[in-house]
Amino acid sequence: MSRAWLIGAGPGDAELITVKAMRALAQADVVLVDDLVNPEILDMARADAQIVHVGKRGGSASTPQDEIIATMLAHLGAGRSVARLKGGDPFVFGRGGEELLALRAAGIQVEIVSGITAGIAAPATLGIPVTHRGMAQGAIFVTGHSAGEQEPDWRALAATGLTLVIYMGMRRLDDIVDALLRAEMPAATPCAAIESATLPGQRQTLASLEALPAEVRRMGLGSPAILVIGSVAALASYTQAAAAPGRSLAVGIGCRRGVTVEQIEAAVLPALAPHTMADVACVATLDSKADEPGLVAFCERHRLRLTTFSAKEVQECFARDSSGSSGSSGSSLRGSEVVQEWAGVPGVCEPCALLASPGGTLVRGKRATDAVTVAIAASSAEHGTHRALPRVQV
Ligand code: SAH
């Protein structure tokens, strides 16, 4: 008996297809394939299978949906088994639902084979979980393609505080970012744009919401790409070895006793923008804060080393740099806004950032919130695609 399958091919990497999909492909007489499907996956079809390309890219016009259905019905009617192969998951922005309904209406039973969708796999390549306990209680998959009446309600989406995973968003990136900023999503919200995820040509950038369009343009990123908007994007540093060479920033932190990890994050992430935690090599503070639970939890969450310095080292660094003499940073701390005292040491965050970044410069002077002070230093050796933060006057 002829069979009909609606199959997800996964996000790109041929190894991310399911065993069930492979088995179906090995049986089908005819395979109708979309263009986002990795051609390597077609090697899993029977050698004598008929392959029909129905995609939209590669210069050729896409096959109208009803023509695809008619082709499938014709083959099925002739007793041939048909596999309809789509990128990612067939039911996520893949029009799989429409094909299913049309086939059902013609009395055909369709077997659905789920695939790994790009919206989960693309962030995962950078170690970004789309949900994360304490950070994002959920994720929203949304198309950035639609305008006019079909336009998603960006204000409502921004208000959820959940991770936004945007498919087909590159062409309208400026409009989307504008809409989210107008909806009062913080300009410093961490974001990732990931092109050709899981394929050898994968490229990506991490930036704040505000900086994302310029960063995407600078790198010339295009479709197919997934945009991830939300604090989970700051976790990109977790597991992605490729991001490591770009880490050139040291975050100096002064904090009150009992500070929470949320208070530290609320101070550090905006101070870092347009960079993200992926650019941070280490966190530095005073010896006396080495066991401060909030700080330790912050470093664990971002898998960062906590480097500590004695009060003496901090005082010496402060004195050296404040005097404008031969400070290693070359940047003077003199005139720094009101010097607050933490644990009896003046200006903890700036000296700690500098001490943790030998030969580096202070690129973000002290920023203070109620419980936390933050300063950022960059090592002089910049790697990869990461650029220095704009130099600030301190
Ligand atoms: N059904 C597919 C989505 C099809 S819509 C799925 O579940 O993944 C096409 C969009 O998917 C692209 O514009 C892009 O936003 C995203 N996409 C698909 N493959 C991708 C890849 N390898 N890398 C990044 N984005 C991808």
Side-chain angles (χ1 to χ4, degrees), residues 82-377:
V82 176
R84 175 73 175 104
L85 188 59
K86 289 169 168 289
D89 183 273
F91 283 171
V92 180
F93 303 121
R95 305 190 69 177
E98 291 165 51
E99 293 181 20
L100 174 69
L101 293 180
L103 292 169
R104 263 200 207 147
I108 309 286
Q109 266 215 337
V110 185
E111 297 169 55
I112 312 295
V113 184
S114 300
I116 300 176
T117 189
I120 291 174
T125 63
L126 302 180
I128 301 174
V130 292
T131 70
H132 190 67
R133 213 154 76 103
M135 228 185 213
Q137 300 336 111
I140 296 174
F141 291 172
V142 58
T143 172
H145 185 248
S146 320
E149 279 192 0
Q150 298 279 302
E151 179 87 23
D153 183 344
W154 296 110
R155 179 166 292 279
L157 295 181
T160 63
L162 303 180
T163 307
L164 300 184
V165 179
I166 306 178
Y167 292 67
M168 299 171 277
M170 294 303 261
R171 253 185 338 124
R172 298 196 57 240
L173 180 60
D174 288 292
D175 295 342
I176 294 168
V177 169
D178 266 4
L180 291 172
L181 290 173
R182 269 187 279 115
E184 280 157 39
M185 184 178 264
T189 303
C191 300
I194 311 146
E195 177 196 285
S196 299
T198 76
L199 291 164
Q202 172 170 340
R203 298 190 309 147
Q204 63 273 321
T205 190
L206 304 166
S208 65
L209 179 62
E210 184 180 44
L212 186 66
E215 187 59 19
V216 161
R217 263 193 294 280
R218 187 181 72 80
M219 287 192 63
L221 295 183
S223 292
I226 288 289
L227 302 168
V228 183
I229 299 181
S231 49
V232 289
L235 301 179
S237 57
Y238 260 15
T239 55
Q240 173 60 322
R247 291 166 176 237
S248 53
L249 303 179
V251 177
I253 293 183
C255 59
R256 290 193 194 285
R257 199 165 300 143
V259 68
T260 64
V261 65
E262 286 76 22
Q263 284 173 315
I264 297 175
E265 235 152 38
V268 172
L269 296 181
L272 269 174
H275 287 253
T276 70
M277 296 304 297
D279 299 310
V280 177
C282 71
V283 175
T285 191
L286 277 177
D287 281 344
S288 57
K289 301 283 178 187
D291 299 321
E292 185 61 42
L295 198 51
V296 171
F298 173 77
C299 291
E300 272 172 11
R301 180 179 275 191
H302 294 283
R303 299 265 166 95
L304 286 168
R305 198 177 67 241
L306 181 61
T307 308
T308 61
F309 299 98
S310 68
K312 186 158 173 279
E313 284 172 297
V314 168
Q315 253 152 359
E316 279 170 7
C317 175
F318 193 85
R320 193 168 58 230
D321 281 81
S322 312
S323 71
S325 62
S326 58
S328 64
S329 72
S331 70
S332 168
L333 296 180
R334 197 207 321 256
S336 179
E337 351 139 19
V338 190
V339 173
Q340 266 178 294
E341 299 222 357
W342 297 102
V345 181
V348 166
C349 61
E350 291 175 333
C352 282
L354 284 169
L355 286 165
S357 185
T361 50
L362 204 56
V363 291
R364 183 74 81 220
K366 185 170 78 181
R367 292 194 168 191
T369 61
D370 277 356
V372 183
T373 63
V374 181
I376 296 165

